[in-house]
Amino acid sequence: MKRLILVSSILLSALATIPAQAGWLDNITGNKEATAPAAEATTSVAGLADNALVGNVMSQLGLSEAQAAGGLGSLLSLAQSNLGSSDFSTLSDSIPGTDALLAAVPSLAGDSGMSGLLSKAGDMGSSFQGAAMVYDSFEALGISKEYVEPMVGIAKQYLQQQSGDGTVDLLMKGLGSLM
């Protein structure tokens, strides 16, 4: 029994010295420290909460306006890089405020995060780099990468209601390396 107490106290004291990291649970519980990177971007995306798609993401995932806009913008940025200009134009015409959403994507250092590592991996890495950039953007916004799939689902539902199967298919084609 004494050994158990001794081991437990050693483990607890060791854990107390490890710096705390903000995680996905902080997004759910509303911990403001976890969303600090997104708070800085709020001024550039102000007013996007009135956008129906951004509002849906905010309410369904519990994200801030900056997080929802930046996350959607990073998904649209990936779609834009994978679709031709005509297809992306059709997709973006179905989403109000596409330019503002694209502008809400955080800027990333070219050699940082998962996308930076993949950029050094040659042809094999480049095929996954777009998806990695989405994950890196989510991280910069203080959003867990587990939110990617639900956010895509919300976007698909929105597009289905607004424009039909054709735009949903374009979105999924554009996000092919991610999904």
Side-chain angles (χ1 to χ4, degrees):
M1 181 71 169
K2 288 182 180 180
R3 285 185 180 174
L4 179 61
I5 293 172
L6 179 62
V7 170
S8 297
S9 64
I10 291 171
L11 286 173
L12 287 174
S13 65
L15 288 173
T17 61
I18 298 172
Q21 296 291 322
W24 68 270
L25 187 57
D26 293 329
N27 290 329
I28 295 171
T29 61
N31 183 341
K32 298 298 179 199
E33 292 177 22
T35 59
E40 296 172 11
T42 303
T43 55
S44 65
V45 297
L48 282 174
D50 294 335
N51 179 312
L53 180 54
V54 173
N56 287 345
V57 169
M58 289 172 60
S59 67
Q60 292 182 40
L61 298 181
L63 300 176
S64 71
E65 180 179 13
Q67 289 174 314
L72 287 166
S74 66
L75 294 173
L76 288 172
S77 180
L78 176 60
Q80 184 178 33
S81 67
N82 290 332
L83 296 174
S85 59
S86 175
D87 283 345
F88 184 73
S89 178
T90 301
L91 176 62
S92 66
D93 287 346
S94 301
I95 300 172
T98 299
D99 291 337
L101 294 173
L102 290 170
V105 177
S107 53
L108 303 171
D111 60 347
S112 68
M114 197 179 340
S115 59
L117 290 173
L118 289 171
S119 70
K120 297 172 184 164
D123 291 338
M124 178 127 165
S126 65
S127 65
F128 297 108
Q129 192 173 5
M133 291 179 99
V134 170
Y135 293 134
D136 289 347
S137 293
F138 271 52
E139 183 179 328
L141 291 162
I143 308 171
S144 171
K145 66 182 178 185
E146 282 80 24
Y147 280 51
V148 169
E149 190 173 333
M151 191 177 292
V152 169
I154 293 167
K156 284 172 51 177
Q157 181 181 27
Y158 174 85
L159 288 170
Q160 180 65 45
Q161 292 171 350
Q162 299 301 313
S163 306
D165 290 334
T167 54
V168 172
D169 293 342
L170 287 174
L171 176 67
M172 296 315 295
K173 178 180 173 185
L175 298 178
S177 62
L178 184 65
M179 302 310 284

